[in-house]
Amino acid sequence: MKRENEAANWTAICGVEDIVPNTGVCALLNNEQVAVFRLHDGVDTRVFAIGNYDPNSEASVLSRGLVGSLGERLVVASPIYKHHFDLQTGECLEAPENSVPTWPARIEAGKVWVGA
């Protein structure tokens, strides 16, 4: 469910400092809720964008989940049933059939940009 890496249109979501490190926010992008996460490991800051809707709980809550890692995978745990979603691929580790879409995301000029 990955979108093209090179998006034709990029949308500024917010300032990178507006997202607390290792948390997410919800943004509306082309009438779709997108969960945007800022991960900071003490050296590098990276951003990820996945669908906010958790198909397991049927609620738009993924931006409120806890971020972490399972092995080498960066994930967010849904706040309802704790299913883990890979931040790079959108795959639901416990129920792959309930994976979510992803969008390319980047930091540029102090802002978080998501590709449409």
Side-chain angles (χ1 to χ4, degrees):
M1 295 179 70
K2 187 148 179 91
R3 312 278 170 134
E4 278 188 39
N5 283 337
E6 290 302 318
N9 297 309
W10 291 88
T11 300
I13 301 300
C14 63
V16 69
E17 296 299 324
D18 293 334
I19 306 175
V20 175
N22 302 315
T23 67
V25 297
C26 183
L28 194 60
L29 182 66
N30 297 329
N31 294 318
E32 190 167 0
Q33 288 188 26
V34 177
V36 180
F37 298 93
R38 174 186 175 199
L39 274 61
H40 184 71
D41 63 7
V43 178
D44 295 318
T45 296
R46 296 173 27 183
V47 290
F48 299 90
I50 66 172
N52 192 47
Y53 181 76
D54 176 1
N56 299 294
S57 65
E58 299 182 352
S60 296
V61 295
L62 291 181
S63 64
R64 303 270 184 186
L66 297 174
V67 295
S69 61
L70 290 175
E72 296 295 317
R73 298 177 94 166
L74 298 173
V75 298
V76 60
S78 174
I80 298 183
Y81 294 130
K82 310 301 185 247
H83 286 89
H84 298 92
F85 293 86
D86 187 303
L87 291 176
Q88 293 179 310
T89 66
E91 180 184 7
C92 177
L93 303 186
E94 291 79 12
E97 67 277 8
N98 288 338
S99 297
V100 297
T102 63
W103 287 263
R106 68 182 188 209
I107 299 170
E108 186 176 305
K111 294 187 181 211
V112 176
W113 297 79
V114 174

